[in-house]
């Protein structure tokens, strides 16, 4: 089993009610405190990065509905298996106008 504390974001799209959750394995942390501290120090750049990523991946302009830290556990039994997310700590809540 692979696990880490990672950043997560829930993005929405102004053209629809669609929501997508994304997590970043590229920024793993050993503790929830490290993840929260990193978010608090870099929150503006992180939200801008999520918006850029969402636009590139989904071809639509997203907004950040929620962002924070979570413990992600991956069991790697199949390549498309989604990780189990536990102990979510919401650090930002926004909407289409933010």
């Amino acid at each position: 089993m692979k696990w880490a504390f990672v950043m997560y974001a829930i993005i929405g799209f102004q053209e629809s009610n669609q929501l997508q959750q994304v997590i970043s394995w590229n920024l793993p942390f050993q503790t929830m405190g490290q993840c929260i501290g990193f978010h608090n120090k870099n929150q503006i750049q992180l939200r801008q990065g999520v918006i850029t990523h969402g636009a590139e991946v989904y071809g639509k302009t997203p907004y950040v509905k929620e962002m924070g830290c979570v413990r992600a556990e991956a069991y790697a039994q199949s390549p498309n298996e989604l990780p189990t997310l536990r102990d979510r700590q919401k650090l930002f809540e926004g909407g289409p106008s933010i």
Side-chain angles (χ1 to χ4, degrees):
M1 172 180 69
K2 172 183 171 182
W3 70 270
F5 292 99
V6 297
M7 304 289 307
Y8 79 90
I10 298 174
I11 57 175
F13 302 93
Q14 297 197 19
E15 304 85 24
S16 70
N17 291 328
Q18 177 187 8
L19 295 176
Q20 292 289 333
Q21 178 173 270
V22 294
I23 62 169
S24 174
W25 285 107
N26 295 332
L27 288 172
F29 300 94
Q30 293 181 352
T31 69
M32 181 65 79
Q34 289 173 336
C35 184
I36 292 170
F38 184 84
H39 171 273
N40 291 345
K41 185 176 178 183
N42 301 287
Q43 58 187 304
I44 301 300
Q45 298 91 333
L46 289 168
R47 284 198 294 274
Q48 290 171 341
V50 167
I51 290 168
T52 299
H53 172 77
E56 290 172 356
V57 171
Y58 299 105
K60 308 179 227 180
T61 302
Y63 62 89
V64 179
K65 179 171 174 44
E66 183 178 312
M67 191 168 190
C69 296
V70 67
R71 180 184 165 110
E73 300 172 354
Y75 295 93
Q77 300 201 1
S78 69
N80 296 326
E81 185 177 345
L82 296 174
T84 300
L85 303 178
R86 301 181 190 281
D87 303 326
R88 183 182 308 255
Q89 295 291 312
K90 184 188 330 181
L91 302 173
F92 173 81
E93 189 167 8
S97 62
I98 294 178

